[in-house]
Amino acid sequence: MKSHLIRIVVALVCFGSASALVARAAEHGLAFKDVSLGITLADFCAKYDRPFEGDPRRAPSLIFGDIFANTKPDPGRRPKRDYRSLGMVSAQKNAPFEVSKGSVPPDTIAGITADVYFHFIVESLPDWDSLAKWHQEGFKTAVSSVGSKAAPWREAPVEIVAAASRFSLGEIMVNFAQGDFDAVVAALREKYGAPPEERNDTLQNAMGANYSSRHISWSIGQDRIEAEERSGGVDQSVVRFWRKGIMSRSHVHIKERIERAAKDL
């Protein structure tokens, strides 16, 4: 009887801690470790700016996809990553080559090795074009001149910092091995409480084999956490922390692109 009461007390304490944390997250927004949804790209770059080991570029890594304002269609080729149409920049704190060389420890979630991407969405596409052009030119200069190094973020032109300030972090995407899904979900349950939404989906690969895939989600204030057991492949899981108000900007950019395309019919 005494041990049963102790378990009840411990459960209530844990529930109270999770409830308090969720209440704070609902008020202030979700964060993954030390990065909060809604932070601007300018602040993110200033926070994680540093030289890469033995490389002329600097952290963080910024990924603009494969399509820029002057890119022409290339029939017959695999579709390119069109981040511009989404108004998105994807970022990583470290360079992949640093992790593979062991220069920096890998990212983790709940102690599990992971790949973490931070997706920033811009308010207006001209800012995306300005930042992409500046980034391209800086990359070419850094890698083409012997001994040349990219300048610290604090030395970026004022107009570039202003453009980057109009990008907001809308999604944090964490990829990890499917075999670790249960361990990661257990940690999420511990921190955020029982998920209000759970379902089982069935996925099919190119060979016709079926796989079950659990989908678990939490809605916390303006933000959402979604854990998918299989995403992008049967052996890969993903957890997404995202904010609808920011991610919806991409729908606006896509709608504008469609309207422009319709005028060319």
Side-chain angles (χ1 to χ4, degrees):
M1 181 67 178
K2 183 177 180 180
S3 61
H4 179 66
L5 289 174
I6 291 174
R7 286 197 297 271
I8 293 175
V9 171
V10 171
L12 288 173
V13 169
C14 292
F15 175 77
S17 299
S19 297
L21 188 146
V22 170
R24 289 196 297 272
E27 181 180 358
H28 301 291
L30 280 174
F32 177 64
K33 299 184 179 181
D34 59 345
V35 182
S36 300
L37 291 175
I39 186 176
T40 70
L41 181 58
D43 288 341
F44 182 86
C45 288
K47 184 173 184 177
Y48 296 107
D49 177 70
R50 64 175 179 81
F52 288 137
E53 182 177 331
D55 193 278
R57 296 166 293 180
R58 296 181 71 88
S61 297
L62 301 184
I63 306 166
F64 290 84
D66 304 314
I67 294 179
F68 295 90
N70 59 350
T71 301
K72 295 182 179 179
D74 194 0
R77 296 285 183 95
R78 186 181 65 181
K80 296 183 177 181
R81 298 173 301 172
D82 187 2
Y83 288 177
R84 183 180 184 273
S85 69
L86 303 174
M88 184 177 84
V89 169
S90 182
Q92 288 186 289
K93 294 180 185 178
N94 305 310
F97 71 81
E98 290 185 299
V99 178
S100 62
K101 288 171 51 180
S103 304
V104 298
D107 288 316
T108 60
I109 180 170
I112 305 298
T113 298
D115 290 322
V116 182
Y117 294 88
F118 301 88
H119 294 160
F120 294 82
I121 310 298
V122 74
E123 295 176 10
S124 175
L125 287 181
D127 283 328
W128 193 97
D129 291 335
S130 296
L131 192 64
K133 181 179 179 180
W134 175 79
H135 185 266
Q136 278 185 303
E137 291 175 347
F139 171 77
K140 290 177 181 178
T141 300
V143 300
S144 62
S145 303
V146 177
S148 177
K149 296 285 185 180
W153 177 252
R154 65 177 179 274
E155 296 179 13
V158 174
E159 63 273 17
I160 293 301
V161 175
S165 297
R166 291 186 283 271
F167 284 78
S168 299
L169 179 59
E171 179 184 54
I172 303 169
M173 188 170 70
V174 187
N175 300 303
F176 55 95
Q178 180 270 334
D180 295 314
F181 184 76
D182 287 337
V184 172
V185 168
L188 289 168
R189 289 178 186 270
E190 176 70 20
K191 185 169 184 177
Y192 297 105
E197 300 175 45
E198 295 188 59
R199 71 172 189 267
N200 287 322
D201 298 328
T202 299
L203 305 180
Q204 189 176 78
N205 67 8
M207 302 299 293
N210 292 326
Y211 296 87
S212 63
S213 179
R214 286 168 288 168
H215 188 283
I216 303 170
S217 57
W218 292 256
S219 292
I220 302 173
Q222 60 186 327
D223 300 330
R224 189 171 174 87
I225 304 171
E226 294 188 349
E228 293 182 56
E229 185 178 11
R230 303 182 194 276
S231 176
V234 297
D235 297 324
Q236 180 174 283
S237 295
V238 66
V239 171
R240 295 183 178 90
F241 303 81
W242 62 281
R243 180 169 296 175
K244 182 178 180 181
I246 296 175
M247 296 304 292
S248 63
R249 295 178 184 175
S250 287
H251 297 298
V252 175
H253 299 318
I254 292 173
K255 184 174 182 294
E256 290 175 349
R257 184 192 65 179
I258 293 173
E259 289 173 349
R260 288 194 299 272
K263 295 177 180 179
D264 191 40
L265 296 177

